[in-house]
Structures are given as C-alpha cells and as structure tokens.
Amino acid sequence: MMKSPALVLSFVTSVLLTLGIAAVADAQQPVPPNAKFRGKSLEQWSLLSTEWQIATGLGRVTDLTDTVNGVRFLPGSFQSSELDIVLTAGTPFVSSSWFVFGELYDDLSSDNPEDPIIDFILETAEVETTLNGQVIISGNAAQLDELMFGPAYFEEPIFYAEPQPRGENLNSVAALFVFGIGAVYHPLPVGEHTLVTEVDSLFFGQSTTTYHITVVPKSHP
C-alpha cells in the first residue's frame, strides 16, 4: 500500500472481464457495457458486486447475497489469488474486476473521490485477461473507459470486522466509495473454464488472479 497526503486507497484485484474479441465464442462474451441487463446498468451491477465482495471479505456479518435477479457475483481475491467457482448452467455473472475503494479512517478523515490520484492509478496500471487461454483484453486501465464505473459511493459505509492498517498510527474502518472496471457476463457453457487476470500497477505492484469456473448442468426433479 502507498499513502498520499490526500488519499489512501485499498486495492482489490479480481478478474478483469471485458469485451470479447471475435475469436471467443459468443456465449463467452460479456454484455455490451452500454446495455442494461435485467434492468440494471454496468455501474449498478458493479456497485452491487463490489459491495458484496467487500462486505463478505472484510466486513462484519452481512445479509447481502451473492445472487441478485438470478445474476451471480464472483468473489474478490481477499484471501486467495486462486478461486474455485461452481455455476449452474444458464447463470450469468458479474465480475467487478479490477477495483479500488476509498475509505474512512479511525482519525475520522476519509478519502476523496475527486482526488487526481485516481487518474494516476488508472493511467499506470496495465491489465491482461485471458478466458480459457484466449487473450480478451490487454492494455492500459485508463483506456477501458467504456467498462469503467465510479467513483461512486455505496448506499451505506461498509464497516470492517477489524480495522485495516494503512500506515503509522492510521487504520481504515470502513469502505465508502469505489471505482474500477467490470463486466456482466452471459452464461458460460457446461464444463471447465479459466479466467486469469494479470495486473502490473505502478501504485500497487504486480498481481495475478485466477478463477477456476465449473459450470454444471441444471438438476431436474
């Protein structure tokens, strides 16, 4: 982590899912970022997804669910960079991929969503994502403007189960807002799938996150 005078940001790397290229099967391509899916925009889905990820990864007991309107949220990589996921056939999902969240601190200060460091973070992050070995995105995060969401505040602060150290004599106690890149995905075919994202960020360093996704047939009574 790095600390600037105006902003301390928490970083979570999850899989960056973006528009598939022609070589990827249509069923594996995400919903166009400017389209509404089941009544919600990409930003609305991304906010719901990141809220659930942070609440279950860092927060206190929550009644939030990993599925809304039949759409599944992929978990964040708070504890592990390799995650096993099981989806029922026909289940679309959201990856609120690469995201950063601003915080409230125990000295009552808070991060500013208008701080120019946000642009710096985006401009100095390179991302490559593969789906089943096929490169579907490779480039600078700031250039993925169609897939960006936020900065946007959560409906309520997400208070942590334990304070998170953010520097000498400073701890964060809650997440307030989020920005990043995400996507809503159509259901994948039955079988085994692998989503891998590698991030090289000047601000946060290098990281790799892998989802091993197993899609199983629907059960019949």
Side-chain angles (χ1 to χ4, degrees):
M1 292 292 174
M2 291 181 61
K3 180 176 183 296
S4 74
L7 182 68
V8 177
L9 291 167
S10 294
F11 171 74
V12 180
T13 302
S14 163
V15 178
L16 178 61
L17 305 177
T18 185
L19 292 176
I21 61 175
V24 181
D26 289 344
Q28 297 180 358
Q29 295 184 30
V31 175
N34 59 350
K36 283 201 171 185
F37 186 79
R38 299 193 179 180
K40 299 184 186 298
S41 66
L42 172 61
E43 176 155 296
Q44 289 171 322
W45 281 120
S46 297
L47 284 173
L48 287 172
S49 175
T50 53
E51 180 183 30
W52 174 77
Q53 289 185 51
I54 296 168
T56 55
L58 297 175
R60 301 170 182 172
V61 175
T62 178
D63 58 0
L64 296 175
T65 175
D66 66 358
T67 305
V68 174
N69 292 346
V71 179
R72 177 81 173 272
F73 302 145
L74 296 189
S77 55
F78 290 94
Q79 281 80 39
S80 174
S81 60
E82 294 222 14
L83 300 163
D84 295 323
I85 307 295
V86 177
L87 298 176
T88 301
T91 303
F93 60 92
V94 178
S95 174
S96 298
S97 359
W98 182 84
F99 66 91
V100 180
F101 49 96
E103 301 183 302
L104 173 68
Y105 301 95
D106 53 8
D107 64 359
L108 301 184
S109 65
S110 62
D111 294 327
N112 179 3
E114 297 183 0
D115 195 297
I117 200 170
I118 290 176
D119 290 334
F120 174 79
I121 291 171
L122 291 168
E123 291 166 0
T124 58
E126 299 293 324
V127 181
E128 181 172 280
T129 298
T130 60
L131 171 59
N132 297 331
Q134 171 70 55
V135 176
I136 59 172
I137 184 65
S138 182
N140 183 268
Q143 297 174 359
L144 306 176
D145 53 324
E146 288 189 340
L147 298 173
M148 290 181 188
F149 61 92
Y153 278 94
F154 297 113
E155 193 169 309
E156 295 181 356
I158 304 170
F159 286 95
Y160 302 150
E162 300 290 342
Q164 302 296 307
R166 295 293 183 253
E168 187 175 357
N169 299 320
L170 183 68
N171 298 288
S172 61
V173 296
L176 299 177
F177 65 87
V178 65
F179 67 93
I181 300 166
V184 180
Y185 259 65
H186 294 293
L188 293 172
V190 170
E192 303 293 331
H193 304 274
T194 304
L195 292 167
V196 181
T197 288
E198 296 178 291
V199 177
D200 187 354
S201 166
L202 182 62
F203 200 86
F204 296 108
Q206 297 179 330
S207 62
T208 301
T209 301
T210 302
Y211 286 129
H212 302 287
I213 301 176
T214 301
V215 180
V216 299
K218 292 181 180 180
S219 59
H220 295 285

